[in-house]
Amino acid sequence: MTELAQAVVNGLQMGLLYALVAVGLAIIWGLMEMVNFAHGEFMMLGMFGAWWLSATLGWDPLVAMVPVALAIYGLGVATYSQLMRRVQRGDAFAQIFATVGLLLFLQNGVVALFTSDYRFVSDTVLARLSGVQLTVLGIKLGIPLLLAGLLALALFIVLYLLVDRTEFGLALQATSEDRDAAMLVGIRPQRMFAVAWGLGAALVGIAGVILANFFSVYPQVGLSFTVLAYAIVALGGFGSILGTLCAALLVGVVQSVTVVYLPPAFKDAFVFASYLLIGLFRPQGLFGRF
Amino acid sequence: MAASRRIALAVGLLAALAYPLFIQATGYTYFQTVGFLVFIYAMLGVGWNFIGGWAGQFDFGPCVFFATGAYTAALATVHWGWSPWLGMLAGIVVSMAICALITFPVTRLRGHYFAIATVAMWMIAQPIGATWELINGSRGLFIPFAPAKSTWEAIWTLGWGGRSKALAYYYVALLLFVLTMYLAHRVDRSKLGYYFRAVRDDQEGAEAIGIDSRVYKTAARCLTAAVFAAGGVLYGFWALAVFPDQVLEMNWSVLPMISTVLGGIGRLWGPLLGAVILIPISQVMSATLGSGPLAGRGLDVIVYGIIIMAVAAFRPSGLLSLPWARWFSRG
Amino acid sequence: MRRYRIIVPILLAALVVGLGLERAKAQAPKEVLIGILLPLTGNFASLGQQYLWSNQTVEDIVNTDYPDLNVPLGPGKGFSGLGGATMKLVVRDDQSRGDLARTLVEQLITVNKVHWIDGEGTSGNTSIIQPVVEGYGIPLSCHPCASPTLTEKGFKWFFRTGPHDRVMVDSVFQFLRDWPKHGGPTDLKTVAVFTCDNLFCQDNHKIALEHAAQSGFKVVADLTTKTGATTLASEVQRLQAANPDILFFVQYPAETAVFQADAKRAGWMPKVIATSNGAYSDQTWLEAQKKTNGGAAWLGRDPTAIDLASKKPSWKKVNEIYKKYSRGQDMGELAMRQITGMLWVADTINRAKSVDPATLAKAATETNMSPELLIIDYKGIRFNKANQNELATGVVTQIGWDGEKHTIWPWELAKQAGYTPMYPNPSWQERDAKPKPAR
């Protein structure tokens, strides 16, 4: 029984990390309905930012979060204003086309600058806490992961309040629902999209910085996390920030629990199978608005 | 069909037939292989057009059927000695059956939800491919090669080797491409094509007049599956090995898609135009920027990415939307 | 529409001209062209780049005069057997994709007219290019490719100087079997196998299961995980529950780091961790372990006793040259295999005194290179009927508290290395507490 409980707790911890990666996508794709194949590359850039600042200036990732987030925010805004704004004129598929190009460009740009070696950010504040272990009711909890998870949760709550409770958030939602009507009430859609892209990119960049404490940093790291992020946003339902959080926790738990009893190679397959199963009963995800 | 169009098609076909012979004289068989790749990707692009261009659904999963086609034919040849043509028929049947079974239930999902469902199928197929002992899992299924003793036998077993393989496979790819284009042309003009486009343009409206969108989305996807299965078989015999991480690669889903988008989605000739431009460019990039002292920096892929982004930004509807190309496009 | 028919021929013409400009002259060449096909971008880029640096090192050694360097073609400029012709690498990046590998190798052979192909670096893609090169009839070599199947299909034009996994995994189990007789623990009975799901790991997985059975170990867990895993907590949980004495571990560096973090969180450390390539061969992972003691007491198969090999003056000199290309990174065992193999290629061309394929192949099969000329610990280079170097055996090494690898098997070499194997695996607290070799 403790075996199962431990697996559930592990799953919830990972789920919070997944939520962090997914929340940026929840804004760009979930809310604004723009396909972004390069989401993982923004995360990868966040990881590289954290590594580079640690290796050259000795900054801890917790400190590096701020400059990296700002830089990637700028990148997100630039991506929209230079690329995606023009792509919006065409088919929805053109967005896939454009962001595939962006993926190739960003990933290999990093290869050109830094080579494909695996890098590790060592001796961080969070890593130093890794020897400390908390055991509650026979279940082991790692402090660093717990802290990272709490950070993720905090960011999520901030974002939820931003999107659902502020005027800016309402303006974002309005733009995604009906661009023309939004214009009629004085909202500038292009500005909304640009900010959404900036915010989405910055959030996943922050996720990258936090993840750099735990995972190795290399140019191809984007895929493994972001393929789950897509499933999470869709599972949670488009347009719902809370849905993304719930879906992320669910995904973490499914991944963790199934592997205890079933072949681990099918880890992600089980997650996606759950998506299909849930989708049969709720085609718009858990809390989807559209 | 207008006379000028017929002439253009005839000239195009002749050029395609003559191209490799001219290359054979120079001995640079590599260029025949480039042509082979162009036609395979163009064929897959046309196949993708069924579900993506005409039925308008985001589908990232056709690589699954590419794999099922390749494995079916490979198994048939390895265990029963079947000719790859029979294997291809088997592969198409198996893929269409699997497609119908797994697609119909998820057609409840719309838009991006459907897209993730197709990704889900791909993610589930991967560990199956990697661990299933029947297909030798990650260790790969190798197709034994025995040089054919006569031309007829070679055509039956696709058993060319060495210098003549590139030439022969070019023609096989061309043949499959022509067949796929013919299929697409017929579907485009038929009621089926009309229903597909109706579902894409206004699903509720289509259902209101009695078109079951679920059935037609599944039908479109099965046509896509059939084309991808055929492509997979051809790939398997070209490579003489089927590895799960190579045939289940997302590239096989995405590259045909971006070729088609580049050329123009939903246009009959879009995929060919896109493939003719993208494949040679990526090859030239790889040979120039990706080699020599600049090798290993990924510069060729960076430039490739920039080109894609530029086209997406300045011509998001694809190249066939350009005025001079309008004569050449349809639908 | 008329422009379409103009544009396509122009594109094709540009392609022909652009690539045709690189083709070489045939007999009595001024340059020997070696086609290098590697994954320089994509999933295997971290491997590919090491092989590229290795090949550049060999190009440097061959074309430059290093009078004191005791390796083939060290002294003297160029190929003496070909009148001083220089070696030129023609490098292509296949982006870790099989279809590109298959296509680019045809380009190298038919357009660039290379005389020898070395690649692809990964066993999967190398098996894709083997039939092509065999069909065209020029020599192909892959030295770090470890899959046994590469030399079991009867290809006449494929040569491998490095050992394959059957030999290497065998050494690990031989060590484990004989350890009790040489002062090791006598109570190792159970083994758990933990591998990733791609070709390289699965080859190891199959061989390990065979050997475990033969060696009398009981397999208590057999887990295959997906490459690119973001967490291995549940796998660790299962392994911990199975409580094996030995963990046979084959994973890439990224997943190994994840495993270490999750094992630390779970407070689990088996008595012995035996690896086969993967992270154990990755220089960056090894360097990172020096900061945390995370790799201490891990043992694994190695094609070379690096602690002994690095004492050779030729090793040191070659390492200095390698560091020019690798941005200061030392040669790891992968680089050593590739450099050794490439130097053998150069030596073969030199002995053949020609670039005619049949002559090259003959010179290759007749190779009998003595171990003094090698910077790696093979007993020499001599091929069996399958063109596999039968003198490439493996050793077993262990990472010490100094973060470096030490030879622990074969027993004679271990005595030379003068290192006593650590047992059991130190706990996580001990690793944290002990001083770290690097900051």
Side-chain angles (χ1 to χ4, degrees):
Chain A
M1 206 43 219
T2 28
E3 198 181 68
L4 182 60
Q6 178 75 57
V8 170
V9 169
N10 288 339
L12 288 173
Q13 285 193 311
M14 281 313 289
L16 285 174
L17 287 186
Y18 294 151
L20 195 58
V21 177
V23 73
L25 196 61
I27 301 208
I28 296 177
W29 187 43
L31 203 57
M32 313 309 277
E33 284 206 87
M34 296 193 73
V35 181
N36 182 14
F37 251 64
H39 186 70
E41 311 320 301
F42 291 133
M43 182 193 90
M44 180 269 293
L45 286 173
M47 292 178 91
F48 264 92
W51 167 77
W52 189 76
L53 287 172
S54 166
T56 51
L57 297 172
W59 289 8
D60 190 86
L62 291 174
V63 171
M65 250 200 284
V66 175
V68 170
L70 287 172
I72 301 190
Y73 178 88
L75 182 63
V77 170
T79 305
Y80 177 75
S81 62
Q82 300 310 310
L83 181 64
M84 302 312 289
R85 180 177 52 94
R86 296 195 169 101
V87 173
Q88 271 183 314
R89 280 183 290 143
D91 213 275
F93 290 104
Q95 293 172 12
I96 300 176
F97 188 53
T99 50
V100 165
L102 186 62
L103 184 163
L104 293 174
F105 174 71
L106 290 176
Q107 196 180 106
N108 290 285
V110 173
V111 171
L113 289 172
F114 296 109
T115 77
S116 294
D117 271 335
Y118 296 99
R119 294 182 162 84
F120 301 90
V121 181
S122 46
D123 215 31
T124 64
V125 167
L126 282 182
R128 271 187 239 136
L129 296 169
S130 65
V132 184
Q133 234 185 39
L134 213 60
T135 310
V136 176
L137 299 173
I139 298 176
K140 304 193 185 88
L141 293 167
I143 295 286
L145 215 52
L146 194 60
L147 288 177
L150 291 173
L151 198 56
L153 199 56
L155 272 169
F156 234 96
I157 294 178
V158 166
L159 192 71
Y160 169 71
L161 293 173
L162 186 69
V163 170
D164 263 30
R165 297 290 156 89
T166 64
E167 238 186 77
F168 166 74
L170 290 174
L172 262 181
Q173 291 182 49
T175 315
S176 70
E177 267 182 61
D178 190 336
R179 208 184 303 183
D180 299 317
M183 273 206 286
L184 285 175
V185 297
I187 300 173
R188 278 154 54 206
Q190 292 205 347
R191 213 171 136 251
M192 289 292 119
F193 277 111
V195 173
W197 270 83
L199 204 56
L203 282 166
V204 77
I206 293 179
V209 173
I210 294 179
L211 288 176
N213 282 297
F214 307 107
F215 297 97
S216 41
V217 179
Y218 56 105
Q220 295 84 15
V221 75
L223 184 63
S224 33
F225 280 95
T226 50
V227 83
L228 283 176
Y230 287 101
I232 288 170
V233 174
L235 185 58
F238 282 77
S240 167
I241 302 291
L242 219 51
T244 308
L245 179 62
C246 295
L249 292 173
L250 182 63
V251 163
V253 172
V254 166
Q255 232 195 12
S256 180
V257 172
T258 47
V259 171
V260 179
Y261 304 105
L262 298 167
F266 286 79
K267 175 188 298 227
D268 291 337
F270 293 132
V271 168
F272 281 89
S274 323
Y275 170 80
L276 288 176
L277 210 60
I278 294 178
L280 288 179
F281 298 105
R282 284 192 70 85
Q284 74 282 29
L286 295 172
F287 301 106
R289 269 195 280 237
F290 39 78
Chain B
M1 212 194 289
S4 58
R5 285 202 93 198
R6 279 188 207 239
I7 295 176
L9 271 173
V11 172
L13 191 60
L14 257 128
L17 286 168
Y19 166 75
L21 296 172
F22 154 69
I23 300 283
Q24 190 76 354
T26 62
Y28 296 151
T29 52
Y30 158 74
F31 293 105
Q32 294 165 343
T33 301
V34 175
F36 165 84
L37 284 181
V38 166
F39 283 119
I40 267 208
Y41 279 108
M43 163 188 160
L44 294 178
V46 175
W48 183 82
N49 241 346
F50 287 117
I51 183 71
W54 290 335
Q57 306 299 309
F58 290 97
D59 187 354
F60 294 99
C63 52
V64 173
F65 306 115
F66 188 80
T68 54
Y71 273 116
T72 309
L75 283 172
T77 303
V78 166
H79 291 297
W80 301 316
W82 280 21
S83 146
W85 297 106
L86 291 178
M88 196 181 288
L89 280 170
I92 292 178
V93 167
V94 168
S95 302
M96 287 181 87
I98 296 180
C99 176
L101 263 157
I102 61 180
T103 306
F104 188 73
V106 299
T107 47
R108 280 200 77 192
L109 305 172
R110 304 273 305 260
H112 297 274
Y113 294 107
F114 180 79
I116 296 297
T118 62
V119 172
M121 291 178 200
W122 174 62
M123 290 295 290
I124 295 174
Q126 282 183 313
I128 296 177
T131 56
W132 197 9
E133 274 310 306
L134 177 69
I135 56 174
N136 221 14
S138 287
R139 294 191 300 274
L141 200 56
F142 292 99
I143 298 176
F145 172 68
K149 296 177 211 64
S150 70
T151 320
W152 283 117
E153 188 183 339
I155 295 180
W156 185 239
T157 62
L158 287 184
W160 291 280
R163 293 197 175 266
S164 40
K165 183 160 183 174
L167 179 68
Y169 272 72
Y170 173 92
Y171 284 123
V172 176
L174 177 60
L175 173 67
L176 287 178
F177 171 72
V178 168
L179 288 173
T180 310
M181 281 296 274
Y182 180 68
L183 174 69
H185 171 74
R186 293 302 300 264
V187 169
D188 188 27
R189 296 225 175 172
S190 71
K191 251 203 213 160
L192 203 58
Y194 175 74
Y195 289 158
F196 290 160
R197 284 191 288 273
V199 168
R200 171 191 72 190
D201 293 334
D202 186 349
Q203 189 170 321
E204 282 80 15
E207 299 205 332
I209 61 171
I211 299 174
D212 187 343
S213 68
R214 299 188 68 181
V215 168
Y216 287 100
K217 281 190 212 174
T218 310
R221 196 159 195 248
C222 288
L223 286 173
T224 305
V227 174
F228 270 78
V233 175
L234 187 58
Y235 172 79
F237 281 83
W238 179 66
L240 285 177
V242 188
F243 285 100
D245 55 350
Q246 284 178 6
V247 292
L248 280 172
E249 225 192 340
M250 192 43 114
N251 237 336
W252 290 111
S253 297
V254 170
L255 252 165
M257 188 193 303
I258 62 179
S259 299
T260 309
V261 172
L262 175 64
I265 298 191
R267 323 264 200 172
L268 208 56
W269 292 95
L272 181 64
L273 181 58
V276 160
I277 293 177
L278 278 182
I279 309 284
I281 284 185
S282 85
Q283 292 287 319
V284 172
M285 289 287 150
S286 171
T288 50
L289 293 174
S291 60
L294 298 169
R297 310 305 215 107
L299 282 178
D300 54 326
V301 190
I302 293 178
V303 174
Y304 189 62
I306 293 178
I307 292 177
I308 292 181
M309 287 196 282
V311 171
F314 297 111
R315 263 291 145 207
S317 322
L319 293 176
L320 280 176
S321 65
L322 288 167
W324 55 262
R326 209 158 306 140
W327 173 91
F328 203 50
S329 64
R330 278 205 93 241
Chain C
M1 56 148 179
R2 286 168 203 93
R3 276 195 237 173
Y4 166 75
R5 265 182 272 129
I6 296 179
I7 285 185
V8 173
I10 289 180
L11 270 175
L12 291 173
L15 195 63
V16 176
V17 170
L19 291 168
L21 284 177
E22 268 214 56
R23 75 185 181 102
K25 300 142 207 133
Q27 273 64 24
K30 287 283 187 314
E31 292 180 319
V32 177
L33 299 175
I34 314 281
I36 304 289
L37 185 64
L38 291 171
L40 296 170
T41 53
N43 291 329
F44 296 113
S46 58
L47 292 172
Q49 66 179 16
Q50 286 183 57
Y51 301 146
L52 179 64
W53 300 332
S54 306
N55 294 329
Q56 289 169 327
T57 306
V58 174
E59 194 187 20
D60 188 329
I61 292 177
V62 170
N63 291 340
T64 320
D65 180 23
Y66 290 100
D68 300 320
L69 185 52
N70 191 21
V71 295
L73 279 84
K77 286 194 193 180
F79 292 99
S80 51
L82 285 168
T86 52
M87 177 196 239
K88 179 153 187 278
L89 300 178
V90 184
V91 180
R92 293 287 182 266
D93 169 19
D94 67 12
Q95 298 177 25
S96 308
R97 283 167 46 190
D99 58 326
L100 262 185
R102 169 89 176 55
T103 310
L104 288 170
V105 82
E106 273 201 48
Q107 187 193 101
L108 285 170
I109 297 178
T110 62
V111 177
N112 304 98
K113 305 249 197 299
V114 298
H115 302 113
W116 189 296
I117 302 238
D118 188 272
E120 186 264 358
T122 62
S123 299
N125 287 345
T126 306
S127 21
I128 301 250
I129 64 177
Q130 274 180 321
V132 181
V133 183
E134 187 87 357
Y136 282 100
I138 72 168
L140 169 69
S141 55
C142 178
H143 311 289
C145 291
S147 174
T149 54
L150 291 175
T151 42
E152 285 168 3
K153 290 201 226 102
F155 286 116
K156 304 247 177 322
W157 291 95
F158 176 74
F159 297 88
R160 173 163 54 191
T161 59
H164 59 69
D165 274 327
R166 204 159 279 138
V167 165
M168 297 200 276
V169 174
D170 181 59
S171 7
V172 175
F173 278 94
Q174 267 200 40
F175 166 78
L176 291 169
R177 268 200 314 268
D178 296 344
W179 204 6
K181 302 195 206 86
H182 288 86
T186 48
D187 57 349
L188 294 176
K189 301 259 180 309
T190 55
V191 72
V193 180
F194 187 51
T195 56
C196 78
D197 67 353
N198 76 5
L199 168 65
F200 150 71
C201 293
Q202 288 299 297
D203 264 335
N204 271 287
H205 170 252
K206 184 157 176 269
I207 298 170
L209 286 176
E210 285 166 8
H211 279 286
Q214 281 171 16
S215 306
F217 292 112
K218 180 156 172 284
V219 177
V220 293
D222 177 9
L223 297 181
T224 302
T225 63
K226 194 167 185 289
T227 9
T230 52
T231 172
L232 291 170
S234 296
E235 287 88 335
V236 167
Q237 203 176 324
R238 280 176 78 163
L239 289 171
Q240 197 173 16
N243 198 21
D245 296 321
I246 304 168
L247 174 66
F248 186 77
F249 181 86
V250 188
Q251 301 278 355
Y252 285 104
E255 290 79 14
T256 307
V258 174
F259 167 79
Q260 287 174 296
D262 284 327
K264 188 171 185 182
R265 240 168 260 134
W268 181 60
M269 182 52 77
K271 294 187 212 155
V272 176
I273 296 185
T275 71
S276 176
N277 207 336
Y280 197 76
S281 298
D282 187 274
Q283 208 49 21
T284 328
W285 182 82
L286 288 166
E287 295 296 317
Q289 301 317 300
K290 288 188 184 165
K291 299 197 182 143
T292 59
N293 277 335
W298 287 44
L299 60 95
R301 108 283 179 272
D302 237 308
T304 182
I306 196 164
D307 51 347
L308 297 173
S310 57
K311 298 204 178 77
K312 276 193 198 167
S314 53
W315 188 96
K316 293 198 175 75
K317 289 209 187 84
V318 172
N319 196 33
E320 288 309 307
I321 304 173
Y322 178 78
K323 278 164 58 163
K324 283 196 293 189
Y325 299 99
S326 68
R327 299 185 191 192
Q329 201 184 73
D330 277 326
M331 285 194 294
E333 64 100 345
L334 290 173
M336 284 167 71
R337 277 195 263 175
Q338 182 61 26
I339 290 178
T340 303
M342 213 40 171
L343 285 173
W344 165 78
V345 170
D347 179 70
T348 303
I349 297 173
N350 209 29
R351 276 183 290 122
K353 296 196 179 19
S354 143
V355 290
D356 165 59
T359 321
L360 286 173
K362 185 158 177 290
T365 48
E366 291 173 350
T367 306
N368 198 346
M369 198 180 282
S370 104
E372 282 94 57
L373 288 171
L374 303 176
I375 60 168
I376 201 171
D377 250 308
Y378 303 156
K379 299 198 179 66
I381 299 183
R382 197 179 64 218
F383 296 102
N384 62 13
K385 294 241 174 19
N387 292 336
Q388 166 69 41
N389 179 11
E390 53 190 9
L391 299 177
T393 50
V395 301
V396 180
T397 59
Q398 188 184 47
I399 300 178
W401 285 112
D402 59 353
E404 303 290 344
K405 289 184 185 171
H406 299 272
T407 311
I408 56 178
W409 183 91
W411 308 109
E412 317 77 52
L413 279 183
K415 238 185 256 151
Q416 255 188 290
Y419 168 85
T420 328
M422 274 198 265
Y423 176 81
N425 250 332
S427 67
W428 289 108
Q429 290 95 323
E430 204 184 333
R431 288 172 199 269
D432 280 340
K434 274 228 162 67
K436 325 281 189 312
R439 283 254 75 221

